[in-house]
Amino acid sequence: LEHPRVRGLASKLPRFVPGQPVPVVTLPGISGQVSGVWSLWRIALVGIAEPFQRFLPLFFHDDGRLLQPTARRIWDQLLTVEGTVLSHIKGEESRSLLSRAMELAGIQGQTLYQELLEAHASRLERKRDKTQYSFAMRRQAIERLGLTEVRQHRLALLAREEEEKRAEFTAREQALPELTPL
């Protein structure tokens, strides 16, 4: 999910650290019967030039149910109204909540991760096609002009540049997943 108001905040959202106190919050516009753990996760592809990321809000109710519509509703509320911090969960209980949330985020984030991979592969394929077309046009231009020795030299330089670009594209294909609690 890519929330419109989060796009600008993405680089400013701090990473949640294991053991960090977890605020217990009440939000206006959210029913008092909604009680559980909400978290926000960044799912990203790392090791590539262009940043590919999506955000995943999660909410698991005290009764164990995972409620995605509620997670999105809480996220919307957090972006528009200020909640009231009632207390903080600390220590081992905080670590336990993060561990459970991370487990759920890993499962729920698979779809977003696959979407990121597909978008990355599609973008890479488009760039590869444009680059190949550019090299083909340059090769045609070189083959039409100049002395034979000059053409051969220019074609050799072009071949080296093409090989470098192929290696660059191969490296760009190597994307790794990153799941970050925010």
Side-chain angles (χ1 to χ4, degrees), residues 23-42:
V24 177
V25 177
T26 183
L27 285 172
I30 302 293
S31 167
Q33 295 178 349
V34 175
S35 178
V37 176
W38 180 86
S39 58
L40 181 64
W41 298 84
R42 179 177 45 234

Side-chain angles (χ1 to χ4, degrees), residues 63-166:
D63 65 12
R65 294 178 293 153
L66 182 65
L67 305 173
Q68 281 307 109
T70 303
R72 288 187 290 278
R73 174 77 175 126
I74 291 171
W75 191 15
D76 287 339
Q77 286 300 102
L78 285 169
L79 290 169
T80 58
V81 298
E82 199 167 317
T84 304
V85 177
L86 304 174
S87 64
H88 287 84
I89 298 170
K90 299 177 183 176
E92 191 53 43
E93 191 177 356
S94 169
R95 283 182 182 77
S96 176
L97 287 176
L98 179 60
S99 177
R100 172 86 169 111
M102 185 170 281
E103 179 183 324
L104 290 171
I107 294 166
Q108 295 297 312
Q110 283 296 322
T111 303
L112 287 178
Y113 174 63
Q114 288 303 319
E115 289 173 9
L116 286 173
L117 279 177
E118 290 168 12
H120 174 60
S122 176
R123 178 189 257 182
L124 203 54
E125 190 60 34
R126 284 191 307 276
K127 284 185 176 184
R128 184 179 281 127
D129 290 345
K130 286 180 182 180
T131 301
Q132 287 174 345
Y133 179 77
S134 170
F135 280 119
M137 293 297 104
R138 288 172 59 194
R139 186 175 298 102
Q140 284 179 6
I142 290 170
E143 288 171 348
R144 283 182 273 172
L145 301 172
L147 300 171
T148 303
E149 294 81 20
V150 174
R151 275 196 312 257
Q152 293 304 321
H153 175 71
R154 289 180 179 167
L155 286 171
L157 291 176
L158 185 64
R160 271 188 249 137
E161 188 180 340
E162 274 184 289
E163 186 56 38
E164 289 171 4
K165 275 294 184 188
R166 269 195 285 281

Side-chain angles (χ1 to χ4, degrees), residues 29-61:
I30 302 293
S31 167
Q33 295 178 349
V34 175
S35 178
V37 176
W38 180 86
S39 58
L40 181 64
W41 298 84
R42 179 177 45 234
I43 299 172
L45 297 181
V46 295
I48 57 175
E50 307 89 11
F52 271 75
Q53 64 182 6
R54 294 287 185 274
F55 295 90
L56 174 68
L58 286 178
F59 179 79
F60 55 96
H61 197 277

